[in-house]
Amino acid sequence: KRSSALKEFNKIFVRDAPTKRILEKYNIFTELSADPTIIMKDHRIFKCKSFPKKFIGIQINNELFNFLSSEIDDEIIDINGNNDKAINKFSSNFSIEEYLLNLSKIKILITNRFHRILLTLIVNNCTSPIIAYEDSNKWKNKNSKLRDLYDSLGLNDFLVSNYQDIL
């Protein structure tokens, strides 16, 4: 029913190759386009001031956060803001501007979130390394948006599926 409804459109744009491949299985042909996050990069909310205090931002599950925080000797911030063992957390009360401002302070980001990567690239002008964690149990066929993004940017060395490879 959904695929027949999609076929009624004259043109459909998708933001990643995995989605494009899924739709092609149903004979729905699409065009790739930039994620809206990238299109907005010139918007005033992305014009963050640079702050000297840098930190390692981690946005992954609590088990992985706890492992990395015990292994890394640097200031670590829990970007999810929900880990009880994390000393420093992002606040859910941040305005959009405050949130982006804090992302601009990241020295290294470790995440499994597609949009967190895009936002951090934008506010840091691509100057902070971003390690993408792709859970091998979830993405057994290696068909994730993170993999597609890192393939297209030539950053495959920064995509890991074993969290011990982060160290």
Side-chain angles (χ1 to χ4, degrees):
K1 195 171 183 178
R2 288 184 186 134
S3 65
S4 61
L6 286 171
K7 289 179 182 177
E8 292 181 24
F9 287 91
N10 293 329
K11 195 165 265 212
I12 298 175
F13 293 91
V14 296
R15 65 180 182 193
D16 57 86
T19 303
K20 183 176 177 59
R21 287 191 293 271
I22 289 168
L23 291 172
E24 285 172 353
K25 289 179 184 178
Y26 298 97
N27 291 319
I28 299 169
F29 299 97
T30 63
E31 292 184 35
L32 285 173
S33 90
D35 187 277
T37 308
I38 296 171
I39 295 170
M40 288 186 57
K41 75 179 180 60
D42 292 328
H43 191 278
R44 69 169 179 76
I45 64 171
F46 289 105
K47 305 301 179 199
C48 300
K49 296 176 184 171
S50 180
F51 285 85
K53 186 165 186 176
K54 295 280 189 176
F55 59 87
I56 296 175
I58 298 181
Q59 182 184 23
I60 38 186
N61 64 49
N62 285 345
E63 177 187 345
L64 186 49
F65 179 90
N66 294 336
F67 169 77
L68 290 173
S69 61
S70 69
E71 298 290 323
I72 297 173
D73 186 31
D74 209 330
E75 184 172 7
I76 297 176
I77 304 287
D78 172 20
I79 295 178
N80 285 336
N82 60 9
N83 188 316
D84 291 336
K85 293 185 179 179
I87 297 169
N88 299 304
K89 302 177 186 183
F90 264 35
S91 169
S92 59
N93 298 324
F94 284 156
S95 67
I96 293 171
E97 287 84 358
E98 290 170 323
Y99 190 81
L100 293 172
L101 202 60
N102 280 294
L103 282 181
S104 74
K105 298 180 197 176
I106 288 179
K107 175 170 44 175
I108 298 171
L109 174 65
I110 303 166
T111 187
N112 59 359
R113 309 305 302 168
F114 179 82
H115 285 101
R116 185 76 59 245
I117 290 170
L118 294 181
L119 291 172
T120 304
L121 286 170
I122 291 169
V123 298
N124 281 311
N125 295 317
C126 302
T127 59
S128 297
I130 301 173
I131 299 170
Y133 173 69
E134 180 182 67
D135 186 340
S136 58
N137 293 320
K138 183 177 179 183
W139 300 104
K140 294 180 193 292
N141 64 358
K142 303 195 181 305
N143 192 26
S144 74
K145 292 177 183 174
L146 291 180
R147 181 167 297 280
D148 183 58
L149 175 65
Y150 274 54
D151 280 346
S152 66
L153 295 174
L155 296 173
N156 292 327
D157 290 344
F158 291 90
L159 178 72
V160 299
S161 56
N162 179 344
Y163 61 83
Q164 294 181 342
D165 291 342
I166 294 170
L167 301 173

